[in-house]
Amino acid sequence: MKHSDNIIQLKGIGEKTAKLFYKLGIYTTEDLLNHYPRGYQAFKAPVKIAEGLGEELVTLELFLPASFKWKKVRNLVIGTGVGSDGRDNVSMTFFNTPYLKNKLTADSSYLFRGKIKAAQGRYHMEQPQIFTWKEYDERMGRLQPCYSLTAGLTDRTVAKAVTQALSAFEEEEYLPEDIRQEYGLIGRAEAIWQIHFPKDWDSLIEARKRLVFDEFFLFLLAVRKMKEYNEEFTTDYPMLETAWTGRLLESIPYRLTGAQLRVWKELEADLVSGTCMNRLVQGDVGSGKTILAFLCLLLTVSNGYQGALMAPTELLASQHFEQLCRMTEKYGLPFKPVLLTGSVGAASKRKIYQKIEEGEVNVIIGTHALIQEKLTYQKLALVITDEQHRFGVKQREILSEKGGRAHVLVMSATPIPRTLAIILYGDMHLSVVDELPANRLSVKNCVVGVSYREKAYEFIIKQVHMGKQVYVICPMVEAGEEGAEGLENVVDYSEKLRSRLPADIHVEMLHGKMKPGDKKRVMEAFGAGDIHVLVSTTVIEVGINVPNATVMMIENAERFGLAQLHQLRGRIGRGKDQSYCIFMSGSDKEESMERLQILNKSNDGFYIAQEDLKLRGPGDLFGIRQSGAMEFRIADIYQDAELLKKISMTVDRLLFEGRLETEKYGALKRYLNENARNYIDFRAI
Ligand SMILES: Nc1ncnc2c1ncn2[C@@H]1O[C@H](COP(=O)(O)OP(=O)(O)OP(=O)(O)O)[C@@H](O)[C@H]1O
């Protein structure tokens, strides 16, 4: 088998199961092996039923006094039975497992592993796993992987597929011995086995270390390659300063902050320098990066070229588009913008393509599909994108094919210390907007338990009656979703709020499963102030700007990463009025309260990232995934910062000494060439 083989070639994966894997973005065996567990379960000694009640998976040794009863309900085969641990009984249900009929016999004992629930004084377990003592002994003390799943797929199915893929071929070792020794790394094949099926915690730590190394190492080689590629290219689109930008700055209702002004000067200098711009602008949430992007676009179009602005979501793309249209009209700017997103119909799309090709429009706003589309630009001189989609060489080449060598500006709201930013964005120049507009009052925060909810509703009612708007964030879309148990969901919550709040308060919902057109309509109505309370998932996390929204209430706040909560909270406090953020914790565990207190204390993204790291500590191998930039598969730029710095020096040394060209590094060189997708930029597009 090869890495690139479709998973359907694995035994036991038919078309139906394959489709579930595709949903998770797993198409090839390589994707499968790279789908690392998100956590592990330990197989501990069996417990008594009453002791095992709760959230955790537990194992029970149960005696079956009678056989299971099996019946067919529509196309389901359902088995029910009772097991006893000598003290208590537990009822069990199995679905579609007819082969158990012969396996489970009366008057025998088995080990059952599952979650125990209790209702009306009775214990129950659904679809537990069954083991003999021999089978269980082999697993005891071992860690079992838990994967990110989708409805219909179980950890067992994924683990089985992974085992098969692992046995089907030997991972190639591409790191030369000297590097492995220097860093004390285990072999690649061993690391991949152990990350999925670790012998114990120590093996897991070793496996993670090797895979983190690989991720950083390959990424940094790619960054260095990009740097070489970008170095001092004369631009195909020389520009001259224009009076338009000064005019715009005088027209807008505020003055730029010192930081915005400084960064704008850096951007302008790049664009008129005669070489290709390649710059990252970093600035905390709400620091005012959008106007800087618009200024760059203005300079570009007034030089007679086209510019593209790519946003990570359709919602944000439409918001930028609306904002640019409003400005164009209000200040008579020379923009001829067009919005190009996935929800544009085929016929309109063709028309838009033609307009772009013929230069009838000069600003193209859309999602990242903009550079993938089979679309020819007339003179695409500037591309503005976000941090998650910075370009690798391949994307640059696609862009060049669409015209000449465009200037590239990347926007980021992730607070990364400068030392790390220089490494991770080594192929780019760096500008930082390190000042918030002066008219801002800092957001007032509170971290509370669910008993505070009623008071929060009263507060929301008061704020809405004062003319303000509110976001309520829930972690799930609807009940019945995988992992939704015990968590608030947008669909039910908006219903609940409608009946709880006075009738004059207009409540609407927003989530990723809605049709793009509906999402856009809701967001526009919220922007226009027609919706007072928006119950939403994290789809509003990035970039959404409705300055009149001054209250945010986050349900199950304990379920989000701190960086993500900071991004979410960044949606309020964007105007001159006082804003309030209520972090509602569904858990009274001390650690989750302590984590949330960090947000309570500070509105500074940089501080939050640092504190989060301290709290998670080095033992937290798979801390809650942070959202935002630089999401590596397993590495964590904060937690693994020291390793990242060291690897960066190693990469410099390797390249400086030309070691990549030596025979000893042949396997690495080959790997890089063959796995261009990973090497160039595994996240971009
Ligand atoms: N210098 C300024 N003075 C006052 N208001 C400003 C200033 N600069 C920008 N704003 C306003 O602040 C709000 C936030 O700006 P913007 O949307 O550009 O933030 P951002 O940096 O893109 O944040 P995010 O990363 O959260 O999307 C907008 O309403 C914008 O009009």
Side-chain angles (χ1 to χ4, degrees), residues 97-356:
T97 44
Y99 51 89
L100 289 179
K101 263 188 209 172
N102 299 328
K103 186 166 178 182
L104 295 173
T105 50
D107 288 330
S108 319
S109 292
Y110 304 89
L111 294 160
F112 292 89
R113 183 171 165 80
K115 284 184 192 167
I116 308 174
K117 290 184 189 157
Q120 284 134 20
R122 295 209 186 139
Y123 297 110
H124 182 72
M125 233 184 337
E126 213 162 80
Q127 201 85 349
Q129 270 178 284
I130 303 163
F131 299 94
T132 60
W133 263 110
K134 183 169 174 286
E135 287 165 340
Y136 200 74
D137 267 343
E138 281 167 15
R139 287 177 173 77
M140 265 242 267
R142 284 193 87 112
L143 298 164
Q144 292 299 309
C146 307
Y147 294 96
S148 299
L149 299 168
T150 182
L153 208 58
T154 62
D155 280 328
R156 254 181 290 172
T157 319
V158 180
K160 254 197 213 154
V162 170
T163 314
Q164 263 203 62
L166 279 169
S167 330
F169 52 70
E170 176 82 350
E171 274 295 323
E172 192 199 352
E173 179 54 78
Y174 51 74
L175 274 189
E177 189 57 32
D178 53 353
I179 293 193
R180 279 175 53 193
Q181 267 182 8
E182 184 184 341
Y183 283 84
L185 300 174
I186 61 170
R188 184 162 171 81
E190 175 70 5
I192 295 188
W193 262 107
Q194 294 296 329
I195 204 74
H196 288 284
F197 307 112
K199 238 183 5 245
D200 46 37
W201 281 106
D202 286 344
S203 319
L204 177 58
I205 289 169
E206 288 303 315
R208 182 179 184 276
K209 184 171 160 195
R210 166 67 204 250
L211 297 174
V212 168
F213 180 93
D214 285 18
E215 258 195 308
F216 280 157
F217 185 64
L218 298 177
F219 179 78
L220 289 180
L221 281 169
V223 167
R224 297 297 193 280
K225 189 157 182 197
M226 275 305 294
K227 186 170 172 175
E228 255 170 54
Y229 185 88
N230 286 335
E231 230 142 53
E232 302 301 315
F233 258 109
T234 313
T235 173
D236 293 322
Y237 302 106
M239 297 192 199
L240 295 173
E241 284 179 20
T242 161
W244 276 111
T245 51
R247 246 177 271 162
L248 174 62
L249 288 177
E250 271 165 29
S251 317
I252 54 176
Y254 54 82
R255 299 280 70 85
L256 290 192
T257 61
Q260 280 172 310
L261 209 53
R262 188 189 71 238
V263 173
W264 162 234
K265 286 291 149 204
E266 287 167 355
L267 295 169
E268 186 179 42
D270 278 359
L271 288 171
V272 301
S273 71
T275 54
C276 243
M277 167 157 94
N278 194 26
R279 189 171 285 274
L280 171 82
V281 169
Q282 213 188 356
D284 208 345
V285 286
S287 58
K289 296 180 290 293
T290 314
I291 184 70
L292 301 176
F294 286 180
L295 283 163
C296 291
L297 287 171
L298 188 54
L299 182 59
T300 305
V301 304
S302 48
N303 275 277
Y305 304 130
Q306 291 171 315
L309 176 58
M310 313 207 301
T313 62
E314 289 206 6
L315 271 186
L316 193 53
S318 334
Q319 178 184 288
H320 285 325
F321 177 72
E322 303 293 333
Q323 209 176 335
L324 196 81
C325 289
R326 275 199 303 275
M327 269 192 184
T328 305
E329 199 176 321
K330 197 161 168 195
Y331 309 129
L333 303 175
F335 286 127
K336 285 177 275 174
V338 68
L339 179 67
L340 183 59
T341 61
S343 43
V344 173
S348 325
K349 214 175 226 180
R350 266 196 305 279
K351 271 192 213 142
I352 295 176
Y353 281 8
Q354 200 179 351
K355 282 187 183 167
I356 295 172

Side-chain angles (χ1 to χ4, degrees), residues 16 108 136 142 219 232 246 292 301 356 401 481 484 509-510 609 615 617 624 639 646:
K16 221 167 113 198
S108 319
Y136 200 74
R142 284 193 87 112
F219 179 78
E232 302 301 315
L292 301 176
V301 304
I356 295 172
E401 281 160 20
E481 266 178 293
M509 66 173 178
L510 185 73
L615 207 64
I624 296 182
Q639 190 171 318
K646 189 170 168 202

Side-chain angles (χ1 to χ4, degrees), residues 404-445:
R405 231 169 224 287
H407 299 276
V408 172
L409 171 61
V410 179
M411 299 291 211
S412 159
T414 304
I416 308 179
R418 199 174 172 83
T419 44
L420 292 189
I422 288 170
I423 295 174
L424 293 165
Y425 295 100
D427 55 326
M428 275 182 248
H429 296 111
L430 193 65
S431 294
V432 186
V433 191
D434 48 6
E435 187 183 350
L436 289 179
N439 66 350
R440 302 276 167 81
L441 294 169
S442 49
V443 175
K444 288 194 175 160
N445 304 294

